[in-house]
Amino acid sequence: MDLVAPVVVEPLRRRRCSECRRGPLERMIVEYGRPVCLDCADLGHLVFLRRGDTALTRRARERSALWAVVVRHNRRRTRYERQGLLVEEAALARAEEACLADAEARARRRARDAERRAVRDAGITEALRAEILLLFPAMPPERAAEIAAHASAKGSGRVGRTAAGRALDRGAVTAAVRASVRHVDTPYDSLLMSGVPRHQARTRVGPAIDTVLRTWRADTRTRPA
Ligand SMILES: [Zn+2]
């Protein structure tokens, strides 16, 4: 395909058009060994599109009735290297629109994916809430919902987000409930704030936590094992 397209050269030396004498030329074609400016070569209406955006380049080329390859000689490598294309301005505009539409389509897909993830998260939260209430039937339901939401919070790495949480491992669920009780129903946080070492504070609030959990487990014995 490139073989049939005109080749436009970015000259390394100062060159003048052999027809209209304008110069120095930024870009030119070579006809019978002589430089010709783009206007004289009837390529003056094309716009330069630097290489780099593959999709945009392909689309602009496909939409251009006339286009040209722009090359520059690399002395060190002793070869011509492609710099980009000259394409029709309207074709470039339409190509840019198409790429933009693609970007918008991708954004819409990302939004749909996020929505699906949110639904999945809600599923984890709901399963966790049900499991908490199964283990602690006398717990206030809104408290179970609160603990489940906190434990399955997105990206938190808490129990609800871990593999153990997904499998609804009883030990992990109980640990999440214990942590909540420790912070909400005991003076644990203020003990920490007053400089009591963490393990000491935990030991001190342990019995209080056990009491709360026992209360919440209350009617477990009446349920079938
Ligand atoms: Zn000219």
Side-chain angles (χ1 to χ4, degrees):
M1 206 178 202
D2 290 0
L3 296 174
V4 298
V7 174
V8 170
V9 179
E10 290 182 350
L12 300 176
R13 293 183 290 135
R14 294 168 68 87
R15 307 299 295 272
R16 284 183 176 280
C17 176
S18 60
E19 291 186 12
C20 70
R21 311 308 306 166
R22 266 196 307 143
L25 300 174
E26 187 190 3
R27 299 188 179 100
M28 62 183 205
I29 66 164
V30 180
E31 263 180 2
Y32 307 110
R34 295 180 309 160
V36 176
C37 78
L38 298 186
D39 286 329
C40 290
D42 293 326
L43 298 172
H45 63 298
L46 301 180
V47 293
F48 180 59
L49 172 59
R50 188 165 297 285
R51 60 174 301 174
D53 187 330
T54 314
L56 183 64
T57 296
R58 177 179 53 76
R59 284 177 158 143
R61 191 183 59 208
E62 282 169 1
R63 287 163 173 79
S64 284
L66 175 65
W67 53 277
V69 179
V70 178
V71 298
R72 186 181 353 189
H73 193 251
N74 184 322
R75 281 196 182 111
R76 194 167 43 79
R77 292 179 168 168
T78 64
R79 69 172 187 218
Y80 281 95
E81 288 177 341
R82 195 165 166 150
Q83 307 299 307
L85 297 182
L86 289 178
V87 294
E88 290 168 357
E89 198 163 6
L92 179 57
R94 286 199 304 276
E96 281 167 341
E97 272 165 31
C99 288
L100 198 64
D102 268 7
E104 279 165 7
R106 279 197 296 275
R108 280 196 298 276
R109 191 170 59 211
R110 274 197 299 276
R112 282 197 303 276
D113 287 349
E115 232 166 74
R116 275 197 295 276
R117 268 198 305 278
V119 168
R120 211 156 50 228
D121 288 345
I124 294 172
T125 306
E126 178 49 33
L128 199 53
R129 191 189 69 85
E131 182 68 16
I132 290 169
L133 283 175
L134 202 66
L135 291 174
F136 304 99
M139 178 194 290
E142 65 276 9
R143 189 65 190 280
E146 193 187 297
I147 294 173
H150 178 76
S152 59
K154 209 164 165 182
S156 69
R158 295 186 190 107
V159 56
R161 304 286 297 173
T162 64
R166 269 184 215 108
L168 295 173
D169 168 65
R170 291 195 161 200
V173 171
T174 303
V177 174
R178 275 193 84 85
S180 167
V181 173
R182 183 179 300 123
H183 291 293
V184 176
D185 304 296
T186 77
Y188 179 72
D189 289 352
S190 50
L191 287 176
L192 289 188
M193 290 304 290
S194 62
V196 177
R198 194 168 54 89
H199 69 273
Q200 232 180 73
R202 280 195 176 222
T203 305
R204 271 164 72 172
V205 300
I209 295 173
D210 289 338
T211 303
V212 174
L213 294 189
R214 213 176 303 123
T215 314
W216 286 350
R217 277 202 190 95
D219 57 352
T220 321
R221 277 158 300 174
T222 67
R223 300 169 67 89

Short mmCIF file of all heavy atoms in Angstrom, two decimals, residues 159-193:
data_model
loop_
_atom_site.label_atom_id
_atom_site.label_comp_id
_atom_site.label_asym_id
_atom_site.label_seq_id
_atom_site.Cartn_x
_atom_site.Cartn_y
_atom_site.Cartn_z
N VAL A 159 -12.24 -9.03 56.50
CA VAL A 159 -12.70 -10.41 56.43
C VAL A 159 -13.60 -10.70 55.24
O VAL A 159 -13.47 -11.70 54.58
CB VAL A 159 -13.39 -10.83 57.75
CG1 VAL A 159 -14.54 -9.89 58.09
CG2 VAL A 159 -13.89 -12.25 57.68
N GLY A 160 -14.53 -9.80 54.96
CA GLY A 160 -15.48 -10.03 53.88
C GLY A 160 -14.84 -10.09 52.51
O GLY A 160 -15.42 -10.61 51.58
N ARG A 161 -13.63 -9.50 52.39
CA ARG A 161 -12.97 -9.45 51.10
C ARG A 161 -11.95 -10.56 50.95
O ARG A 161 -11.41 -10.76 49.88
CB ARG A 161 -12.27 -8.10 50.92
CG ARG A 161 -13.17 -6.92 51.08
CD ARG A 161 -14.07 -6.74 49.91
NE ARG A 161 -13.29 -6.47 48.70
CZ ARG A 161 -13.82 -6.40 47.49
NH1 ARG A 161 -15.10 -6.61 47.33
NH2 ARG A 161 -13.07 -6.15 46.45
N THR A 162 -11.65 -11.24 52.00
CA THR A 162 -10.65 -12.29 51.92
C THR A 162 -11.31 -13.59 51.49
O THR A 162 -12.52 -13.73 51.52
CB THR A 162 -9.96 -12.51 53.28
OG1 THR A 162 -10.95 -12.98 54.20
CG2 THR A 162 -9.35 -11.23 53.81
N ALA A 163 -10.48 -14.53 51.08
CA ALA A 163 -10.99 -15.83 50.66
C ALA A 163 -11.77 -16.47 51.81
O ALA A 163 -12.84 -17.04 51.63
CB ALA A 163 -9.85 -16.74 50.24
N ALA A 164 -11.24 -16.31 53.02
CA ALA A 164 -11.91 -16.88 54.19
C ALA A 164 -13.29 -16.27 54.36
O ALA A 164 -14.26 -16.95 54.68
CB ALA A 164 -11.07 -16.65 55.44
N GLY A 165 -13.37 -14.95 54.12
CA GLY A 165 -14.63 -14.25 54.26
C GLY A 165 -15.64 -14.72 53.22
O GLY A 165 -16.81 -14.88 53.51
N ARG A 166 -15.13 -14.95 52.00
CA ARG A 166 -16.04 -15.41 50.95
C ARG A 166 -16.56 -16.80 51.26
O ARG A 166 -17.68 -17.13 50.97
CB ARG A 166 -15.34 -15.37 49.59
CG ARG A 166 -15.56 -14.04 48.93
CD ARG A 166 -14.96 -14.01 47.55
NE ARG A 166 -14.46 -12.66 47.32
CZ ARG A 166 -13.20 -12.35 47.29
NH1 ARG A 166 -12.29 -13.27 47.38
NH2 ARG A 166 -12.85 -11.11 47.11
N ALA A 167 -15.70 -17.62 51.84
CA ALA A 167 -16.14 -18.96 52.21
C ALA A 167 -16.94 -18.88 53.50
O ALA A 167 -17.49 -19.85 53.97
CB ALA A 167 -14.94 -19.87 52.39
N LEU A 168 -17.02 -17.66 54.07
CA LEU A 168 -17.76 -17.41 55.30
C LEU A 168 -17.33 -18.34 56.43
O LEU A 168 -18.13 -18.95 57.12
CB LEU A 168 -19.26 -17.51 55.04
CG LEU A 168 -19.75 -16.43 54.07
CD1 LEU A 168 -21.20 -16.66 53.70
CD2 LEU A 168 -19.55 -15.04 54.64
N ASP A 169 -16.00 -18.37 56.57
CA ASP A 169 -15.39 -19.13 57.65
C ASP A 169 -15.87 -18.57 58.99
O ASP A 169 -15.82 -17.37 59.24
CB ASP A 169 -13.86 -19.00 57.53
CG ASP A 169 -13.15 -19.49 58.77
OD1 ASP A 169 -13.24 -20.69 59.05
OD2 ASP A 169 -12.54 -18.65 59.45
N ARG A 170 -16.38 -19.44 59.84
CA ARG A 170 -16.97 -18.99 61.11
C ARG A 170 -15.99 -18.24 61.98
O ARG A 170 -16.34 -17.26 62.63
CB ARG A 170 -17.52 -20.20 61.87
CG ARG A 170 -18.71 -20.77 61.17
CD ARG A 170 -19.49 -21.70 62.05
NE ARG A 170 -20.82 -21.83 61.48
CZ ARG A 170 -21.88 -22.24 62.17
NH1 ARG A 170 -21.75 -22.57 63.44
NH2 ARG A 170 -23.04 -22.33 61.59
N GLY A 171 -14.75 -18.73 62.00
CA GLY A 171 -13.73 -18.06 62.82
C GLY A 171 -13.51 -16.63 62.36
O GLY A 171 -13.43 -15.70 63.18
N ALA A 172 -13.47 -16.44 61.04
CA ALA A 172 -13.24 -15.11 60.49
C ALA A 172 -14.43 -14.21 60.75
O ALA A 172 -14.27 -13.02 61.07
CB ALA A 172 -12.96 -15.21 58.99
N VAL A 173 -15.62 -14.76 60.62
CA VAL A 173 -16.84 -13.97 60.86
C VAL A 173 -16.89 -13.54 62.33
O VAL A 173 -17.15 -12.38 62.66
CB VAL A 173 -18.11 -14.78 60.49
CG1 VAL A 173 -19.36 -14.06 60.96
CG2 VAL A 173 -18.15 -15.01 58.97
N THR A 174 -16.60 -14.49 63.22
CA THR A 174 -16.60 -14.17 64.65
C THR A 174 -15.54 -13.11 64.97
O THR A 174 -15.79 -12.20 65.77
CB THR A 174 -16.32 -15.45 65.47
OG1 THR A 174 -17.31 -16.43 65.13
CG2 THR A 174 -16.39 -15.17 66.96
N ALA A 175 -14.38 -13.21 64.32
CA ALA A 175 -13.32 -12.22 64.55
C ALA A 175 -13.78 -10.83 64.14
O ALA A 175 -13.48 -9.84 64.83
CB ALA A 175 -12.06 -12.63 63.78
N ALA A 176 -14.53 -10.76 63.04
CA ALA A 176 -15.03 -9.46 62.58
C ALA A 176 -16.02 -8.89 63.60
O ALA A 176 -16.00 -7.69 63.89
CB ALA A 176 -15.70 -9.61 61.21
N VAL A 177 -16.85 -9.76 64.14
CA VAL A 177 -17.84 -9.31 65.14
C VAL A 177 -17.11 -8.88 66.41
O VAL A 177 -17.42 -7.83 67.00
CB VAL A 177 -18.87 -10.42 65.42
CG1 VAL A 177 -19.80 -10.01 66.57
CG2 VAL A 177 -19.69 -10.72 64.16
N ARG A 178 -16.14 -9.67 66.83
CA ARG A 178 -15.35 -9.33 68.03
C ARG A 178 -14.69 -7.96 67.87
O ARG A 178 -14.72 -7.15 68.80
CB ARG A 178 -14.22 -10.36 68.25
CG ARG A 178 -14.60 -11.60 69.00
CD ARG A 178 -13.32 -12.36 69.42
NE ARG A 178 -12.77 -11.82 70.67
CZ ARG A 178 -13.19 -12.20 71.87
NH1 ARG A 178 -14.14 -13.11 71.99
NH2 ARG A 178 -12.68 -11.69 72.95
N ALA A 179 -14.11 -7.73 66.70
CA ALA A 179 -13.42 -6.45 66.46
C ALA A 179 -14.41 -5.30 66.59
O ALA A 179 -14.09 -4.26 67.18
CB ALA A 179 -12.80 -6.46 65.06
N SER A 180 -15.61 -5.51 66.05
CA SER A 180 -16.62 -4.45 66.14
C SER A 180 -17.01 -4.18 67.58
O SER A 180 -17.06 -3.02 68.02
CB SER A 180 -17.86 -4.86 65.32
OG SER A 180 -18.94 -4.00 65.62
N VAL A 181 -17.26 -5.26 68.33
CA VAL A 181 -17.66 -5.10 69.74
C VAL A 181 -16.54 -4.41 70.52
O VAL A 181 -16.79 -3.53 71.35
CB VAL A 181 -17.99 -6.48 70.35
CG1 VAL A 181 -18.23 -6.35 71.86
CG2 VAL A 181 -19.21 -7.09 69.66
N ARG A 182 -15.31 -4.82 70.21
CA ARG A 182 -14.16 -4.25 70.92
C ARG A 182 -14.15 -2.73 70.78
O ARG A 182 -13.96 -2.00 71.75
CB ARG A 182 -12.86 -4.84 70.36
CG ARG A 182 -11.60 -4.38 71.07
CD ARG A 182 -10.36 -5.02 70.46
NE ARG A 182 -10.41 -6.48 70.57
CZ ARG A 182 -10.34 -7.31 69.54
NH1 ARG A 182 -10.21 -6.84 68.31
NH2 ARG A 182 -10.39 -8.60 69.72
N HIS A 183 -14.39 -2.25 69.56
CA HIS A 183 -14.33 -0.80 69.32
C HIS A 183 -15.57 -0.07 69.78
O HIS A 183 -15.50 1.04 70.28
CB HIS A 183 -14.11 -0.53 67.82
CG HIS A 183 -12.75 -0.93 67.35
ND1 HIS A 183 -11.60 -0.30 67.76
CD2 HIS A 183 -12.35 -1.91 66.51
CE1 HIS A 183 -10.54 -0.86 67.20
NE2 HIS A 183 -10.97 -1.85 66.43
N VAL A 184 -16.75 -0.72 69.60
CA VAL A 184 -18.01 -0.01 69.85
C VAL A 184 -18.50 -0.17 71.29
O VAL A 184 -18.98 0.78 71.91
CB VAL A 184 -19.10 -0.49 68.86
CG1 VAL A 184 -20.44 0.17 69.16
CG2 VAL A 184 -18.66 -0.21 67.42
N ASP A 185 -18.38 -1.40 71.83
CA ASP A 185 -19.04 -1.70 73.10
C ASP A 185 -18.09 -1.78 74.29
O ASP A 185 -18.52 -2.12 75.39
CB ASP A 185 -19.81 -3.03 72.97
CG ASP A 185 -20.81 -3.00 71.83
OD1 ASP A 185 -21.75 -2.20 71.92
OD2 ASP A 185 -20.63 -3.75 70.85
N THR A 186 -16.84 -1.53 74.11
CA THR A 186 -15.89 -1.56 75.22
C THR A 186 -15.04 -0.28 75.19
O THR A 186 -15.00 0.42 74.18
CB THR A 186 -14.93 -2.77 75.13
OG1 THR A 186 -13.94 -2.50 74.14
CG2 THR A 186 -15.68 -4.05 74.79
N PRO A 187 -14.34 0.00 76.27
CA PRO A 187 -13.49 1.20 76.29
C PRO A 187 -12.14 0.98 75.61
O PRO A 187 -11.20 1.74 75.84
CB PRO A 187 -13.33 1.46 77.80
CG PRO A 187 -13.51 0.15 78.45
CD PRO A 187 -14.39 -0.69 77.56
N TYR A 188 -12.05 -0.03 74.76
CA TYR A 188 -10.78 -0.39 74.12
C TYR A 188 -10.09 0.82 73.48
O TYR A 188 -8.92 1.09 73.72
CB TYR A 188 -11.02 -1.48 73.09
CG TYR A 188 -9.78 -1.92 72.33
CD1 TYR A 188 -8.79 -2.67 72.98
CD2 TYR A 188 -9.59 -1.59 70.99
CE1 TYR A 188 -7.66 -3.08 72.29
CE2 TYR A 188 -8.47 -2.01 70.30
CZ TYR A 188 -7.51 -2.75 70.95
OH TYR A 188 -6.40 -3.17 70.28
N ASP A 189 -10.85 1.55 72.65
CA ASP A 189 -10.24 2.67 71.92
C ASP A 189 -9.69 3.74 72.86
O ASP A 189 -8.61 4.28 72.63
CB ASP A 189 -11.25 3.28 70.95
CG ASP A 189 -11.53 2.34 69.76
OD1 ASP A 189 -10.82 1.31 69.65
OD2 ASP A 189 -12.47 2.62 68.99
N SER A 190 -10.45 4.02 73.92
CA SER A 190 -9.96 5.06 74.83
C SER A 190 -8.78 4.56 75.65
O SER A 190 -7.91 5.34 76.04
CB SER A 190 -11.09 5.58 75.73
OG SER A 190 -11.76 4.50 76.34
N LEU A 191 -8.75 3.22 75.90
CA LEU A 191 -7.57 2.65 76.58
C LEU A 191 -6.33 2.88 75.71
O LEU A 191 -5.28 3.29 76.19
CB LEU A 191 -7.76 1.16 76.84
CG LEU A 191 -8.75 0.76 77.95
CD1 LEU A 191 -8.89 -0.77 78.01
CD2 LEU A 191 -8.28 1.31 79.30
N LEU A 192 -6.49 2.62 74.42
CA LEU A 192 -5.36 2.83 73.50
C LEU A 192 -4.95 4.30 73.50
O LEU A 192 -3.76 4.63 73.53
CB LEU A 192 -5.74 2.42 72.07
CG LEU A 192 -5.90 0.93 71.76
CD1 LEU A 192 -6.08 0.73 70.27
CD2 LEU A 192 -4.70 0.13 72.27
N MET A 193 -5.96 5.16 73.48
CA MET A 193 -5.68 6.60 73.43
C MET A 193 -4.97 7.08 74.68
O MET A 193 -4.21 8.04 74.65
CB MET A 193 -6.98 7.40 73.26
CG MET A 193 -7.64 7.26 71.90
SD MET A 193 -6.55 7.71 70.54
CE MET A 193 -6.43 9.47 70.80
#
